Amino acid sequence: MNHFYKIFFQLCFKHLLTEGDKLIINSLCTIEEQGIYSLISNYGSLLARLVFAPIEESLRNFLTRLLLGNRSIKNLNLSIDILRKIIAFYIYLSIIITIFGPLNSGYLIQKIIGNNWSNHVSNTIPLYTLYLPLLAFNGILESVHQSTASGNEVVTYTYYMVVFSVIFMITSYIGIDKFQLSLHGLILSNMFNMLLRIIYCYGFIKHFYQKNLITSSIWKFDNNLKSILALSVVIWIIDLSLFGYTRNIKELAGNTVLAMILVGFILYKEKDLVLSIIKRKPLVE
């Protein structure tokens, strides 16, 4: 029960940090900038709430049931197999977001909210789309951390989060006030903060599996990923050359075709992964 109290303490502390973020925004940003950031974060969080949050919660519950009191080699290998599949999905989703998000988000937000705010928002939302992959990976790695960490390890991470939050406040102040980056400075600070949390959680997870005699990595830079990255770069260059930032429905359609080509190639290269998920069988090394 003491462990769950510490988890609850961490969740409460994370809520306080969220309120601290709002304090930073209220202190350093104008009313107009606060409204723009609120609009962007609300639309951006739709992906987090609809896609990332259910996956994180399901993984957290699965790992808690699987590893609580029975950290056998079989269960540990099963957990790392599931985690590897999820991370592969996140990598490919992040590639798609990184290529097409910044180029199309401004046009899409203009169609959603109209022209009154779109000129201001469209300058900021492309950078925010690059923040979403970091948000996704942080969420999934923190879910694993919460499922596998002891009570003391949870408290240790909370202390690190205090340090990360102080760094966030400092970088936000420097970016917004000193370099006059406005909301870009705030988003960059959030990205750096998420990156620090990702690095910590990844290091913890790696140590956790090594401590339990599992040497497999939670992700692999295999030939499939290399070929997908190569095609992604080619498609990104083609997209920039032909369309750039989307300005009309024809360019949006062109981006859609390029995205479908990339998704189709990913599904083809990772057909074994897709079939294993459909059949609900772990991949064989």
Side-chain angles (χ1 to χ4, degrees):
M1 185 62 67
N2 187 44
H3 173 74
F4 293 102
Y5 283 140
K6 292 176 179 178
I7 291 287
F8 178 73
F9 169 73
Q10 186 192 54
L11 293 175
C12 292
F13 183 76
K14 288 175 70 175
H15 177 71
L16 292 176
L17 293 181
T18 302
E19 296 302 316
D21 293 352
K22 293 180 181 178
L23 180 62
I24 291 291
I25 297 171
N26 293 337
S27 302
L28 299 178
C29 298
T30 65
I31 298 296
E32 181 182 15
E33 289 171 338
Q34 293 175 36
I36 293 173
Y37 187 78
S38 177
L39 181 66
I40 291 174
S41 60
N42 285 335
Y43 277 108
S45 64
L46 284 176
L47 183 63
R49 291 196 298 266
L50 296 177
V51 179
F52 302 149
I55 295 176
E56 293 166 13
E57 188 63 28
S58 298
L59 180 64
R60 186 184 297 110
N61 293 335
F62 171 77
L63 291 180
T64 300
R65 293 196 305 268
L66 182 68
L67 301 178
L68 186 62
N70 184 20
R71 293 180 177 177
S72 63
I73 297 297
K74 178 181 178 181
N75 285 355
L76 288 166
N77 280 324
L78 176 59
S79 68
I80 204 170
D81 180 73
I82 296 297
L83 182 57
R84 188 179 294 151
K85 292 176 183 178
I86 295 175
I87 288 179
F89 168 73
Y90 272 38
I91 288 174
Y92 297 136
L93 182 61
S94 297
I95 290 173
I96 295 171
I97 292 174
T98 301
I99 293 175
F100 299 103
L103 298 178
N104 295 277
S105 55
Y107 176 77
L108 291 174
I109 201 70
Q110 179 183 3
K111 292 302 178 183
I112 293 173
I113 66 175
N115 295 322
N116 291 334
W117 282 78
S118 61
N119 291 333
H120 302 284
V121 175
S122 59
N123 293 327
T124 307
I125 198 169
L127 181 61
Y128 190 86
T129 58
L130 298 179
Y131 169 64
L132 293 177
L134 294 175
L135 188 66
F137 279 103
N138 175 71
I140 204 70
L141 294 180
E142 281 194 345
S143 295
V144 180
H145 178 274
Q146 292 172 1
S147 303
T148 56
S150 65
N152 290 333
E153 288 169 335
V154 170
V155 173
T156 299
Y157 182 47
T158 303
Y159 294 150
Y160 272 94
M161 288 180 66
V162 173
V163 177
F164 298 157
S165 297
V166 172
I167 294 174
F168 165 73
M169 293 177 186
I170 294 173
T171 54
S172 294
Y173 173 75
I174 294 174
I176 297 173
D177 193 68
K178 296 302 181 181
F179 288 99
Q180 300 295 311
L181 294 177
S182 184
L183 293 179
H184 288 82
L186 178 63
I187 296 172
L188 288 172
S189 297
N190 266 316
M191 293 172 71
F192 184 61
N193 181 40
M194 284 295 166
L195 184 60
L196 291 175
R197 290 162 65 171
I198 288 171
I199 292 172
Y200 179 91
C201 289
Y202 177 79
F204 170 85
I205 294 168
K206 182 179 179 181
H207 174 71
F208 168 79
Y209 281 107
Q210 289 177 344
K211 181 176 63 176
N212 287 279
L213 306 179
I214 303 296
T215 57
S216 301
S217 175
I218 62 175
W219 78 291
K220 286 186 175 182
F221 191 70
D222 57 12
N223 290 330
N224 285 346
L225 180 56
K226 291 177 183 177
S227 59
I228 290 170
L229 285 174
L231 180 64
S232 300
V233 172
V234 172
I235 287 180
W236 179 63
I237 294 173
I238 293 174
D239 198 358
L240 285 176
S241 302
L242 294 180
F243 307 116
Y245 287 98
T246 298
R247 297 177 298 271
N248 52 59
I249 192 66
K250 290 183 178 180
E251 293 178 348
L252 180 63
N255 274 270
T256 302
V257 172
L258 291 176
M260 291 175 64
I261 292 173
L262 180 56
V263 170
F265 186 73
I266 292 173
L267 292 176
Y268 170 74
K269 297 297 291 186
E270 293 290 357
K271 55 183 178 295
D272 292 336
L273 173 63
V274 175
L275 290 175
S276 70
I277 294 174
I278 294 174
K279 296 177 181 179
R280 298 183 180 180
K281 293 181 180 180
L283 288 175
V284 179
E285 290 289 332

